[in-house]
Amino acid sequence: MMWFVKRPVVSAMLLMGAIAGIVAVELITGERSAADIGAVTALAVLTAVVFLALRRSAAGLHISVSARNELRQRLAQQRAVALLGQDALEDIPAQNLLDSACAALAGGLGAEFAAILELGPARSEFAIRSVVGWQDDLVGTIVPSGSASHSGFTVATAQPVIMADSSSEERFALSAAMAAAGIRSGLSAPIGSNGGTYGVLSAHTRELRAFSVDDVSFVRSVANVVASAQRRRRAETQAEQSHRVLGAVIEGTNDDIFVKDVEGRFIAVNAAAARTLGRPVSELVGRLPHEVLPSSLAARFAETDNLTLQRGTVETFEETIAIGDTTKVLLTTKGPYRARDGTLLGTFGIAHDITARKAQEDALARSEERFRLAQEGAGIGTWDVDLVTGRTTWSDGLRKLCGLAPDYPAGLDGLEPLLHPDDRERVRRAAEVAYTGGIPLDLEYRVLRPDGGIQWLLGRSTSVYADGALVRVLGVAVDITAKKVADEELQRSRAALELAQLAAGLGTWDWDVQTGAVSWTDGVYEVLGVDPTKFVPSAETLARQ
């Protein structure tokens, strides 16, 4: 009875055949009445109707069974993806996840063979990472990734690829191992997006297989889970490396680095900052400044922290830190730090110890002040011409020497109006030679002071070279007005003396015993009665006279 229910079409055909046989026998033998034959015929027609109805029911039942089997397969695929996703979230070892994905792929598709291939950095080869159906020793094998293979073609197209029948496939060829295994059909999908492709999932069967849209969707889902897990692992690895590098930089630097929350509490301090503050890191982290530092210092920190938070910008301060017997000057840069959504979390700071530099700057400032005072006292001014930038700098002493205002423009354009008209061209040519040929200046010239006076200056320079090129000219200007006035007065005195000697018939001579040089006035020629053009002054000449 159960067989009849399970095989309704065959049972109906057998029943109809039996009835047809009975009708035929009755018609041939004639042993039945026409009414009986009619009844039998009606039964035969009814049987035919039942047969058609059963046939339709059987067809519907077959479709229903197929749909139910397909639904069961889809549910199994969904379950496989869900379990794989759970494995990925639980962060199981990478190889275990690949093995689970490969098994899920083969089971979900009912395929004899499955594999996961990882694309190499140069994208020229695959490394087999997991297999089902193939020999286990294939794991780790390197194979080419060109588009001549199923997996290589998948990477090239960046889309799932169905191989319906290997015997008629023209896009790529089977590998020797696939051909030996008798592969006929297959389905593959890339793991990850184009440009960020990790590898390929592939499943193959020995029997011809018509993979459906749902099968493709399933393979995509498995690939997405693997890709997501790989991206997360790589991101976590990169983050760990970044944290290690950042930690090494923070602890390896001599600068003080610290992070505080919005209340000013230390939440991170490096060893250098701890040394500056005179406290171990363990005593600083989690504490407010006023709990561990002198009150005046804590108040100054709070002031700069609040200013940074109010402005919401990176600020730089120069701070003097005095703890115990140690005083340091720090150049501190502070700024706000925020969460990804913009929420203000606190401040960060980097402080560089500039104590030694400040001492050098103070010493230099004192030295420059002494030099400035010395220049002013000696009537000296300096100038500097940078031939690379074209900038000319005058010292305050030079402007003061010439009676100029502190903002008077430096350079030849500013100097030329000050020069005596008779000296302008000579100074201009000497400057051009110094700036172009590096020939040092050494000349005396006059400047016109704003008060109307004339001042004599002695200008001298030296040249500076870099890599064989003239780059700077440094110069000094000395006030020689008093000397020039004295020289002129001496010349006038000598001229007056000579005139007096000539009038009195006298002459004078000068004999330098050390050098042997002899000079005399014109009066000597008159007294001796010799021709000045033929008579050469000398010790021997004087002795003969």
Side-chain angles (χ1 to χ4, degrees):
M1 186 64 182
M2 288 298 297
W3 184 92
F4 181 84
V5 172
K6 292 182 179 180
R7 299 289 189 275
V9 175
V10 176
S11 301
M13 290 180 65
L14 291 176
L15 178 59
M16 184 176 178
I19 294 174
I22 293 173
V23 171
V25 170
E26 290 294 336
L27 290 175
I28 293 172
T29 59
E31 295 179 359
R32 297 290 182 180
S33 66
D36 291 336
I37 294 175
V40 171
T41 302
L43 180 59
V45 172
L46 178 61
T47 302
V49 172
V50 171
F51 167 74
L52 292 177
L54 287 175
R55 182 178 178 183
R56 243 178 233 166
S57 175
L61 182 60
H62 176 73
I63 294 173
S64 176
V65 171
S66 298
R68 189 161 48 250
N69 290 338
E70 186 174 346
L71 178 60
R72 187 180 295 112
Q73 184 179 9
R74 297 289 84 78
L75 291 174
Q77 290 177 349
Q78 290 179 8
R79 176 177 172 78
V81 172
L83 292 174
L84 185 63
Q86 185 177 8
D87 287 343
L89 290 175
E90 292 177 356
D91 201 22
I92 66 172
Q95 186 59 50
N96 291 359
L97 180 66
L98 295 180
D99 291 341
S100 296
C102 198
L105 181 68
L109 293 176
E112 301 100 311
F113 302 96
I116 296 179
L117 296 86
E118 180 183 1
L119 191 61
R123 302 176 66 86
S124 61
E125 60 187 20
F126 286 117
I128 299 176
R129 293 304 182 199
S130 183
V131 295
V132 169
W134 303 102
Q135 297 90 336
D136 290 340
D137 58 5
L138 285 178
V139 175
T141 302
I142 304 300
V143 296
S145 64
S147 59
S149 67
H150 190 178
S151 296
F153 187 79
T154 303
V155 171
T157 58
Q159 295 292 333
V161 177
I162 295 175
M163 179 177 67
D165 187 347
S166 60
S167 63
S168 60
E169 182 59 63
E170 298 180 351
R171 297 169 296 177
F172 46 82
L174 292 183
S175 66
M178 287 185 175
I183 298 299
R184 295 295 303 276
S185 298
L187 171 59
S188 63
I191 303 173
S193 58
N194 191 23
T197 306
Y198 166 79
V200 172
L201 290 172
S202 65
H204 294 90
T205 63
R206 288 195 179 98
E207 301 296 329
L208 288 177
R209 171 76 176 274
F211 293 102
S212 67
V213 173
D214 290 329
D215 291 333
V216 173
S217 177
F218 165 66
V219 176
R220 279 184 184 272
S221 298
V222 174
N224 288 340
V225 172
V226 175
S228 177
Q230 293 299 327
R231 282 195 300 270
R232 192 187 76 250
R233 290 177 191 276
R234 289 179 178 178
E236 290 174 351
T237 300
Q238 292 172 354
E240 290 174 0
Q241 292 174 346
S242 298
H243 282 302
R244 285 197 297 270
V245 171
L246 184 58
V249 169
I250 290 175
E251 290 302 330
T253 182
N254 292 326
D255 290 341
D256 301 350
I257 298 177
F258 54 87
V259 181
K260 300 177 183 177
D261 61 21
V262 290
E263 296 178 353
R265 183 178 290 102
F266 290 106
I267 59 176
V269 180
N270 73 341
R275 287 192 297 270
T276 296
L277 298 177
R279 294 276 190 164
V281 172
S282 59
E283 292 184 12
L284 292 170
V285 174
R287 308 289 291 278
L288 292 167
H290 72 265
E291 296 176 336
V292 289
L293 300 175
S295 57
S296 59
L297 183 57
R300 191 178 311 123
F301 282 172
E303 180 182 354
T304 56
D305 288 348
N306 291 335
L307 182 62
T308 300
L309 292 172
Q310 289 170 7
R311 293 181 178 177
T313 58
V314 176
E315 304 289 339
T316 299
F317 311 93
E318 187 175 296
E319 299 177 313
T320 300
I321 306 297
I323 297 180
D325 298 332
T326 303
T327 300
K328 291 184 177 182
V329 181
L330 303 178
L331 188 64
T332 303
T333 298
K334 291 184 178 180
Y337 77 94
R338 304 175 183 275
R340 289 186 177 181
D341 61 0
T343 302
L344 185 63
L345 299 178
T347 60
F348 71 89
I350 302 174
H352 182 65
D353 187 349
I354 60 171
T355 306
R357 193 185 81 188
K358 287 293 291 184
Q360 292 173 351
E361 289 177 352
D362 292 343
L364 179 61
R366 290 192 296 270
S367 176
E368 289 178 345
E369 179 63 16
R370 288 193 296 268
F371 181 59
R372 184 186 66 80
L373 293 174
Q375 282 185 348
E376 292 180 0
I380 297 174
T382 59
W383 47 272
D384 179 356
V385 179
D386 189 329
L387 299 176
V388 177
T389 64
R391 183 185 179 194
T392 298
T393 305
W394 286 358
S395 69
D396 293 339
L398 180 58
R399 288 186 173 87
K400 189 171 183 179
L401 189 64
C402 299
L404 303 174
D407 59 349
Y408 187 86
L412 281 177
D413 292 341
L415 177 62
E416 189 167 348
L418 304 175
L419 293 172
H420 191 282
D422 295 340
D423 297 339
R424 287 175 183 169
E425 183 62 25
R426 181 167 56 86
V427 173
R428 186 187 62 78
R429 288 198 304 268
E432 288 178 354
V433 171
Y435 297 167
T436 58
I439 299 175
L441 279 169
D442 189 358
L443 74 162
E444 297 176 354
Y445 55 94
R446 290 162 290 180
V447 295
L448 306 176
R449 294 176 59 88
D451 58 9
I454 296 178
Q455 188 168 15
W456 278 93
L457 299 178
L458 171 62
R460 288 179 177 169
S461 70
T462 185
S463 302
V464 179
Y465 292 84
D467 298 327
L470 180 64
V471 294
R472 294 178 71 185
V473 176
L474 306 176
V476 61
V478 182
D479 185 1
I480 58 171
T481 304
K483 177 179 177 299
K484 293 297 288 186
V485 170
D487 288 346
E488 290 174 0
E489 184 63 31
L490 180 59
Q491 290 296 331
R492 286 194 296 270
S493 297
R494 284 178 177 175
L497 179 59
E498 287 188 16
L499 289 174
Q501 288 177 344
L502 287 174
L506 300 173
T508 60
W509 53 268
D510 183 7
W511 181 8
D512 189 333
V513 180
Q514 295 291 332
T515 64
V518 176
S519 62
W520 51 52
T521 64
D522 292 342
V524 175
Y525 295 108
E526 294 291 336
V527 172
L528 298 178
V530 295
D531 185 355
T533 63
K534 298 178 180 180
F535 190 79
V536 178
S538 66
E540 292 78 8
T541 303
L542 287 173
R544 287 197 300 269
Q545 298 299 322

